[in-house]
Amino acid sequence: MSLVELDHLTYAYPAAQAPALRDITAVLEPGLTLLAGASGSGKSSLLRLLDGLVPHFHGGRIAGRAQVAGHDVLRTPTRALARHVGFVFQDPERSFVYGTVEREVAFALENTAVAPAEMHRR
């Protein structure tokens, strides 16, 4: 099974004049994949699509099909995709929510609906 399948995917952020992603068709298989390009070329938008932040969090206009780990990105909640996809921002310190490791780890588990007893066990 491929990890990612994109079929004629186009995405534009709310109020954007032009799409951030335009008519992308690609299949990514297991293994190393390098995503490179100029600033503003859509790298971060594509990564946000893979974990569901686009379109579920950012909104906007989307067309085409996107599947990640067998899940339809457009129909799968971000919390469900988070069980299969991780995302680290360019500045990792900006992605912290809490000031302690324990609360930060608990936050991630809470967002994936792990029961409190299971959190403590983990």
Side-chain angles (χ1 to χ4, degrees):
M1 173 197 304
S2 57
L3 295 177
V4 175
E5 294 180 22
L6 305 174
D7 186 27
H8 297 287
L9 186 100
T10 297
Y11 172 74
Y13 287 97
Q17 298 292 327
L21 304 171
R22 185 187 314 268
D23 197 28
I24 298 174
T25 297
V27 174
L28 301 179
E29 300 293 340
L32 179 65
T33 300
L34 176 65
L35 183 59
S39 180
S41 65
K43 300 178 304 292
S44 294
S45 297
L46 180 59
L47 294 174
R48 285 183 173 95
L49 170 83
L50 299 182
D51 73 357
L53 290 175
V54 161
H56 301 296
F57 178 76
H58 292 290
R61 300 173 314 280
I62 193 161
R65 188 177 68 83
Q67 194 168 3
V68 174
H71 300 277
D72 181 338
V73 173
L74 305 182
R75 291 186 172 85
T76 305
T78 304
R79 69 181 177 277
L81 289 171
R83 295 181 181 275
H84 306 280
V85 179
F87 187 92
V88 178
F89 295 95
Q90 278 183 302
D91 182 356
E93 289 184 16
R94 295 185 74 182
S95 36
F96 292 128
V97 176
Y98 290 100
T100 67
V101 172
E102 180 179 25
R103 280 301 302 139
E104 191 68 29
V105 170
F107 178 73
L109 295 171
E110 290 165 352
N111 281 304
T112 56
V114 173
E118 177 64 12
M119 281 189 229
H120 291 297
R121 186 191 70 75
R122 289 184 186 184

